[in-house]
Amino acid sequence: MHSFVKESWYEILVTTIYIINFLAIINLIFREKRSIEATVAWVLVLTTAPAIGCTTAPAIGCILYIAFGRGISKNNMFKIKEAEDKILKENIIDTQIKLNHNDNFEPDLIEYKDMIYTLANSNNSHFSTNNDVEIFPESNDFFESLLEELKKAEHHINIQFYIFKDDEIGNKIIDILINKAQNGVKVRLLYDAVGSRLFSDKSIYKLKKAGVKVGVFFPSFMKIININLNYRNHRKIVVIDGKVGFIGGNNIGDEYLGKNPKFGYWRDTHLKLTGDSVKDLNIRFILDWRYTTKEDLNLDKYFNIKSSRISNSKACKNVGIQIVSSGPDSTELDEIKYGYLKMIQKAKKYIYIQTPYFILDRTLTDTLKIACFSGVDVRIMIPSKPDHPFVYWASSSYAGELLKYGAKLYNYDHNAFLHAKTIVVDDCVCSIGTANMDIRSFELNFEINAFMYSSQVAKKQRAIFENDILKSKEITLDIYNSRSRHMRVKESISRLLSPIL
């Protein structure tokens, strides 16, 4: 009798899970406007996972969907208030005025006005021209500059990272933030709950006690359970006094200084900005901050600041910049992906791409194939070692597919990990930021990139890429085709799941 009751409860449980999975599939197909590829991938998980584990873990498909597959509300999380709306409108008007005057552009950059207009329309991305840019291809140089600028802060520090750890480099930054807050500087620290899950409560308490305001994006329940696990704020933003900004691929942790033996030398790219683009970076931080903390900031304090700061003499002067952000919250648009597409479509000479994850949708795949057929020198650089195996195998598959169309593929130094997210085209336009060349960055994560219209910046980034080639192994079509059967199987499975990785 006891065995019969136990079996009945088990059948009820399994039946309930199948019903939940069926309802999830109905929701995917009829309510959530996802890509066909993502919908098919989740239907596959929901229909096959329960069957595979029906004797031991009948809920596996349901659990995976709840953890990674749920959609989020499509209303605008980062609502624009009247004060921001006024600033944004003024910025767009300023952008339109600049686009009407060719003297704001180098001769070779005039043809990119339509790209600027596209990003301004789709993302309210202001185009500013009076900017200086310094590129940091070495993480050590980035952190040295960041620490130096934080120590100079006079008015405010707005700092946001996906990963913030209180290890050696993290504690150096924490000490500066505490010191500045105690000396009257307004300090706000925003971090992602999942990315910064190792950020200790002790350090957070120290920061708050010293007067640092701390915000947590999509907080977890007891640091273990997070109902928004699949939607992360991947942005890295630092704004100091409204005059100096940082944006790029580095997070706050010792591994980004090459101190993790698993990865070895860490190859990343970060930017230091001065000029009007810093205001645009600050707007993005403030929108994220207000959504997370509900603090009603007085914007006049952050956009009308007098300072004696002088920009870095090593920077590239008079650079045209658009700060472009994207996320799954408000619209059906993939703004950073649109910027990448426009760059690829307009390329005539070369396209150099660096990314740790290379997982493309059909639009990007076809656009790169067309570029190859058009005689454009397409080069893709990815890591030679995985930090996420399935993502690595899928990246290998997508990059390898392009080899037969004429693209060149490089695996960066096997003693290092490539984490840079860069694309440069024709010595004209360059994009550096937080967005990888993958579906997750385009559709699921909250990201931010700087699109820079400057031959000087583009040439510097091209030189950095070419120097990285010297530390890389080229994967020719023959080498790729000779990979093992085991690798082919892993690539095939990973590619099938790529829309949800």
Side-chain angles (χ1 to χ4, degrees):
M1 180 69 179
H2 178 72
S3 177
F4 174 76
V5 171
K6 183 177 179 181
E7 187 174 327
S8 297
W9 274 109
Y10 180 77
E11 290 175 353
I12 291 171
L13 177 63
V14 172
T15 302
T16 301
I17 291 170
Y18 271 101
I19 291 172
I20 292 172
N21 289 353
F22 175 75
L23 293 174
I25 290 170
I26 296 299
N27 182 65
L28 273 168
I29 295 172
F30 294 104
R31 293 195 63 198
E32 295 191 21
K33 296 180 180 179
R34 303 195 186 191
S35 67
I36 293 174
E37 294 86 354
T39 301
V40 169
W42 275 117
V43 169
L44 182 68
V45 169
L46 288 164
T47 54
T48 61
I52 292 169
C54 62
T55 59
T56 56
I60 188 170
C62 180
I63 292 171
L64 286 171
Y65 179 73
I66 291 172
F68 299 104
R70 294 182 318 105
I72 60 173
S73 175
K74 293 296 180 181
N75 65 311
N76 194 337
M77 293 165 55
F78 309 103
K79 292 179 181 177
I80 305 296
K81 294 177 66 176
E82 184 177 351
E84 287 101 343
D85 186 55
K86 180 181 178 182
I87 293 170
L88 291 173
K89 285 180 178 177
E90 289 174 352
N91 286 349
I92 295 304
I93 291 172
D94 181 62
T95 295
Q96 292 171 341
I97 292 171
K98 286 187 174 75
L99 290 174
N100 289 329
H101 293 84
N102 288 342
D103 55 358
N104 289 311
F105 299 90
E106 301 171 38
D108 291 342
L109 296 179
I110 292 174
E111 62 179 278
Y112 287 90
K113 288 165 61 172
D114 63 328
M115 177 175 164
I116 297 170
Y117 197 75
T118 298
L119 294 174
N121 282 334
S122 65
N123 195 241
N124 285 326
S125 298
H126 176 224
F127 174 67
S128 57
T129 54
N130 60 329
N131 299 292
D132 295 351
V133 174
E134 187 171 1
I135 304 177
F136 297 109
E138 297 287 341
S139 295
N140 278 304
D141 293 338
F142 157 64
F143 282 110
E144 283 182 13
S145 182
L146 175 62
L147 293 172
E148 179 185 347
E149 294 296 344
L150 288 172
K151 291 174 183 176
K152 295 177 183 176
E154 301 167 353
H155 181 269
H156 71 269
I157 296 172
N158 291 334
I159 181 169
Q160 171 179 354
F161 282 92
Y162 171 61
I163 296 173
F164 198 109
K165 295 182 180 180
D166 45 356
D167 50 17
E168 184 177 352
I169 185 62
N171 278 313
K172 285 182 179 180
I173 293 171
I174 288 169
D175 289 344
I176 295 172
L177 298 183
I178 288 173
N179 176 266
K180 287 297 175 181
Q182 291 174 337
N183 284 279
V185 176
K186 298 292 184 183
V187 181
R188 290 176 175 84
L189 169 63
L190 177 61
Y191 63 89
D192 183 86
V194 173
S196 301
R197 59 192 175 276
L198 300 180
F199 193 14
S200 72
D201 292 336
K202 180 181 178 181
S203 292
I204 294 169
Y205 174 76
K206 278 173 53 182
L207 286 160
K208 289 181 177 179
K209 186 178 179 181
V212 176
K213 294 187 176 182
V214 179
V216 188
F217 191 87
F218 279 170
S220 300
F221 177 67
M222 298 179 66
K223 287 198 173 184
I224 300 173
I225 302 170
N226 197 297
I227 62 172
N228 292 302
L229 184 63
N230 208 33
Y231 299 95
R232 309 317 315 167
N233 196 320
H234 198 235
R235 294 169 182 150
K236 295 96 176 170
I237 298 171
V238 181
V239 175
I240 301 161
D241 293 343
K243 301 298 180 182
V244 178
F246 293 90
I247 178 175
N250 286 288
N251 287 290
I252 304 302
D254 285 347
E255 65 265 38
Y256 296 88
L257 287 162
K259 296 181 179 180
N260 186 331
K262 176 184 176 182
F263 298 111
Y265 171 69
W266 191 275
R267 170 66 186 87
D268 220 322
T269 303
H270 225 93
L271 296 175
K272 177 181 176 182
L273 307 177
T274 56
D276 281 354
S277 61
V278 179
K279 179 174 73 172
D280 303 321
L281 201 59
N282 216 10
I283 290 174
R284 177 70 271 164
F285 175 89
I286 287 172
L287 292 176
D288 284 13
W289 177 264
R290 199 180 57 224
Y291 166 76
T292 304
T293 67
K294 314 305 179 195
E295 181 184 0
D296 191 10
L297 296 177
N298 183 343
L299 294 186
D300 287 338
K301 291 183 179 180
Y302 296 92
F303 297 111
N304 295 295
I305 302 166
K306 294 181 180 180
S307 175
S308 59
R309 294 285 198 105
I310 300 174
S311 63
N312 195 311
S313 61
K314 295 186 292 183
C316 302
K317 307 285 185 172
N318 300 319
V319 178
I321 296 179
Q322 282 179 293
I323 300 296
V324 182
S325 56
S326 64
D329 59 305
S330 60
T331 70
E332 307 275 326
L333 302 177
D334 301 325
E335 296 93 331
I336 292 178
K337 186 182 85 170
Y338 294 166
Y340 287 171
L341 283 168
K342 287 294 284 185
M343 290 176 72
I344 296 167
Q345 289 168 354
K346 296 182 76 65
K348 293 180 175 62
K349 299 174 183 176
Y350 74 84
I351 303 164
Y352 292 172
I353 297 169
Q354 288 179 313
T355 178
Y357 317 122
F358 191 74
I359 299 176
L360 309 181
D361 60 12
R362 177 52 55 189
T363 306
L364 270 165
T365 302
D366 287 344
T367 305
L368 283 168
K369 287 178 181 178
I370 292 169
C372 290
F373 282 139
S374 302
V376 177
D377 181 10
V378 177
R379 303 190 184 197
I380 301 156
M381 189 178 294
I382 59 176
S384 59
K385 63 173 71 174
D387 63 337
H388 303 294
F390 281 98
V391 178
Y392 175 76
W393 297 327
S395 297
S396 179
S397 174
Y398 281 97
E401 178 186 349
L402 293 173
L403 287 174
K404 57 188 174 184
Y405 297 95
K408 294 180 180 178
L409 173 62
Y410 301 91
N411 279 355
Y412 188 70
D413 187 353
H414 70 280
N415 292 315
F417 184 73
L418 178 70
H419 193 249
K421 305 97 165 47
T422 73
I423 176 170
V424 58
V425 169
D426 289 355
D427 286 355
C428 291
V429 180
C430 176
S431 176
I432 297 174
T434 70
N436 301 302
M437 185 70 75
D438 72 345
I439 294 171
R440 169 167 291 277
S441 281
F442 298 143
E443 298 182 4
L444 299 178
N445 285 343
F446 298 87
E447 307 279 6
I448 187 164
N449 274 38
F451 285 80
M452 294 164 284
Y453 306 83
S454 163
S455 60
Q456 192 178 1
V457 172
K459 287 175 181 177
K460 283 195 173 186
Q461 179 53 37
R462 173 171 59 83
I464 291 169
F465 186 98
E466 290 171 346
N467 183 63
D468 287 337
I469 287 177
L470 302 178
K471 305 172 187 176
S472 304
K473 176 183 178 181
E474 183 174 0
I475 307 300
T476 64
L477 185 58
D478 287 342
I479 292 174
Y480 180 74
N481 287 337
S482 66
R483 69 199 187 283
S484 68
R485 182 176 297 179
H486 188 221
M487 184 63 178
R488 292 171 188 263
V489 171
K490 290 190 290 189
E491 283 186 9
S492 297
I493 294 172
S494 301
R495 185 167 181 133
L496 185 64
L497 298 174
S498 62
I500 60 175
L501 289 177

